[in-house]
């Protein structure tokens, strides 16, 4: 199974995706980490790497899906084209894809998180609140499971998400 996370910076997606990966024993693929490694390898930690980070992540995910691993993909995933590419990875691998959009419905809390969080990837500069709200971000439509991190702690969010992922699996195989 490929669990595809997306959501604006500061929404809590990385925290939830990591916790879910740990709980499921899944492989965790984070586009931020890959993009920063590409920047550093080119000698310019601030350069735009374009789609390279996503393309590398698709390949790593597909390799592991074909080995039978559950993969959790963590990225902002802002555009339909990136979401469709993740779905294509799952289709080529013959596995179920579950899309999860992480939101923080409390805008004051979302802004606080975006403005106060520390980077956990050396050299990665987190976007400002202004950059976050001005980011191009396509509507997901009805496809994803929506997880709101505003009023629940991470263990509660993960437990609710596991129930929804299991329901998605049952819907495909039941």
């Amino acid at each position: 199974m490929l669990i595809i996370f997306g959501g604006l910076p500061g929404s809590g997606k990385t925290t939830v995706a990591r916790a879910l990966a740990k709980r499921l024993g899944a492989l965790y693929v984070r586009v931020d980490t890959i993009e920063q490694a590409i920047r550093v390898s080119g000698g310019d930690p601030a350069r735009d790497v374009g789609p390279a980070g996503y393309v590398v992540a698709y390949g790593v995910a597909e390799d592991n899906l074909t080995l039978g691993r559950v993969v959790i993909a963590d990225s902002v995933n802002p555009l339909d084209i990136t979401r469709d590419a993740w779905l294509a990875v799952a289709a080529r691998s013959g596995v179920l894809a579950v899309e999860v959009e992480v939101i923080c419905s409390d805008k004051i809390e979302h802004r606080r998180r975006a403005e106060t969080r520390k980077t956990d990837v050396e050299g990665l500069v987190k976007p400002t609140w202004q950059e976050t709200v001005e980011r191009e971000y396509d509507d997901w439509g009805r496809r994803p499971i929506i997880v709101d991190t505003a009023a629940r702690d991470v263990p509660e969010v993960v437990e609710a998400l596991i129930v929804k992922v299991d329901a998605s699996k049952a819907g495909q195989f039941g």
Side-chain angles (χ1 to χ4, degrees), residues 14-30:
T14 294
T15 302
V16 173
R18 280 186 173 152
L20 182 64
K22 186 173 183 176
R23 173 75 190 282
L24 298 179
L27 183 79
Y28 173 72
V29 178
R30 183 176 177 194

Side-chain angles (χ1 to χ4, degrees), residues 20-42:
L20 182 64
K22 186 173 183 176
R23 173 75 190 282
L24 298 179
L27 183 79
Y28 173 72
V29 178
R30 183 176 177 194
V31 171
D32 279 350
T33 304
I34 294 168
E35 288 176 336
Q36 189 61 18
I38 292 168
R39 285 184 197 102
V40 170
S41 72

Side-chain angles (χ1 to χ4, degrees), residues 5-172:
F5 274 78
L8 289 172
S11 63
K13 96 187 135 299
T14 294
T15 302
V16 173
R18 280 186 173 152
L20 182 64
K22 186 173 183 176
R23 173 75 190 282
L24 298 179
L27 183 79
Y28 173 72
V29 178
R30 183 176 177 194
V31 171
D32 279 350
T33 304
I34 294 168
E35 288 176 336
Q36 189 61 18
I38 292 168
R39 285 184 197 102
V40 170
S41 72
D44 181 1
R47 79 179 171 115
D48 181 13
V49 297
Y54 276 86
V55 173
V56 170
Y58 301 146
V60 170
E62 189 167 346
D63 281 348
N64 283 279
L65 290 167
T66 60
L67 293 173
R69 299 290 309 268
V70 172
V71 175
I72 295 181
D74 172 9
S75 63
V76 174
N77 212 9
L79 305 174
D80 289 331
I81 192 169
T82 60
R83 297 173 198 153
D84 291 345
W86 283 117
L87 294 174
V89 166
R92 286 192 304 273
S93 303
V95 300
L96 173 66
V98 176
E99 295 176 290
V100 178
E101 183 182 19
V102 179
I103 65 167
C104 180
S105 61
D106 180 337
K107 296 303 174 203
I108 295 169
E109 173 62 11
H110 190 180
R111 182 176 186 162
R112 184 197 65 76
R113 291 178 189 172
E115 291 179 340
T116 61
R117 66 195 177 126
K118 304 283 186 237
T119 189
D120 59 343
V121 176
E122 187 176 337
L124 180 65
V125 177
K126 299 287 188 175
T128 66
W129 175 247
Q130 195 63 35
E131 291 167 334
T132 297
V133 296
E134 291 176 354
R135 174 184 286 261
E136 182 178 0
Y137 192 84
D138 295 339
D139 185 272
W140 288 62
R142 296 187 203 189
R143 293 187 332 212
I145 295 169
I146 297 182
V147 176
D148 188 350
T149 62
R152 295 191 293 179
D153 66 15
V154 174
E156 289 176 305
V157 170
V158 168
E159 288 306 315
L161 187 52
I162 287 172
V163 169
K164 291 177 181 181
V165 167
D166 285 345
S168 294
K169 287 192 308 193
Q172 178 170 354

